[in-house]
Structure formats: structure tokens, C-alpha cells
Amino acid sequence: GELAARYPERLHVQIGYNEPLAHRIEAGSDMFLMPSRFEPCGLNQMYSLRYGTPPIVHRTGGLADTVIDAGSPRDKSRNKAPKDSNGFVFAPGTEAAMRTAIGRALDYYRDRRRWNALCKRAMRAELGWERSARQYLQLYQTCLTSPTR
């Protein structure tokens, strides 16, 4: 509160839960840091993806299932991101690994063409049940057609 009072044009503090404001902040951000140590599902990274706010997440639970790492732009052997990448993933859950992922995100951000392409991929991410349902159906069909032991 003290810093917000001293710098009202640069900092705002709001204590309490306000879901509409949380969505507005997330939608208006350039990137979203979610360094959860444990996350069985995670909705915020999905909101970020839908809003075109690439998430930076620790590889755990639902975060690992939904965020596809864009890779390192400094790695000359990979001159483009995976076609379905939508954010940045780090592991292990250490400060050093998180800082490296943030640095990779900032490198992408500096290349506006590449950043905009990443944001568009993020917004196109399949987050509904359709993909999971197709995968389950394929698994069931494989089990039905494979010989039993």
C-alpha cells in the first residue's frame, strides 16, 4: 500500500477477489507468469491462451498438458518454434529455470512478427473436450481391434 500511495500513476494495489478485474488484467497483459509447484488442472493458463497472453509456466500437472513450449530462440539448431507452441515452459521449478524461461519469452517479445504469431497460436489452442474425446475414442478403438492375450 505504501508504494501505491507514493506512486499512484505507476502502481495500484487491490486486496481481495475480483474475477472480472482478474480477467481484464490477464487479457491486457503481454505475458502471464504461472510458476505453480502443483497444479492439477489450471484455468488461468487457459484464459491466457484464449486472450493471446502467452503463459510462462512450470512443467507440472495441467500446465504441462496445455502449454507447449516455444523453444529457445537462441538455439541455432531450431530456427522456428514448434507449429503448435503457445507459451513457455520451465523445469525444474527453480528461480534459475524460471528466469531462463522469462528471458526466452522476452527474446520472443522483441521480435514482433514472431511474438504476434505465438499469440495467434495461443488463441487457437484447443482447450475443449473435443481433442480429449478424439484421443479417448482412438484409444478405445485400438483396444477393441487389438488381439487379446
Side-chain angles (χ1 to χ4, degrees):
E2 181 182 326
L3 288 176
R6 187 182 302 169
Y7 304 104
E9 69 285 349
R10 294 184 177 188
L11 179 65
H12 174 79
V13 175
Q14 180 165 337
I15 308 295
Y17 182 73
N18 183 328
E19 187 167 353
L21 178 60
H23 279 270
R24 289 176 57 201
I25 290 170
E26 200 162 338
S29 297
D30 291 313
M31 36 189 104
F32 183 73
L33 179 62
M34 193 169 180
S36 302
R37 293 190 184 278
F38 172 78
E39 185 60 66
C41 174
L43 293 175
N44 282 93
Q45 85 280 7
M46 290 193 271
Y47 299 150
S48 290
L49 292 169
R50 188 60 69 222
Y51 295 140
T53 305
I56 305 168
V57 303
H58 174 231
R59 181 177 290 134
T60 188
L63 302 178
D65 294 336
T66 53
V67 180
I68 300 163
D69 191 69
S72 175
R74 295 183 188 126
D75 183 352
K76 300 301 180 199
S77 66
R78 262 177 95 174
N79 56 9
K80 68 177 197 171
K83 66 180 178 66
D84 52 354
S85 63
N86 56 21
F88 302 89
V89 181
F90 66 92
T94 63
E95 179 184 346
M98 183 176 71
R99 284 177 178 264
T100 298
I102 293 169
R104 290 188 297 118
L106 292 173
D107 283 346
Y108 261 74
Y109 188 78
R110 287 181 190 100
D111 182 340
R112 299 311 291 176
R113 184 185 52 78
R114 193 149 85 169
W115 182 259
N116 290 337
L118 178 68
C119 292
K120 288 176 185 176
R121 284 193 305 275
M123 289 186 277
R124 288 192 303 261
E126 287 187 50
L127 303 173
W129 283 103
E130 293 83 12
R131 188 174 95 197
S132 294
R134 282 193 307 270
Q135 289 172 335
Y136 279 117
L137 182 59
Q138 184 179 29
L139 175 64
Y140 293 143
Q141 288 172 340
T142 300
C143 290
L144 289 174
T145 59
S146 66
T148 58
R149 293 183 177 188

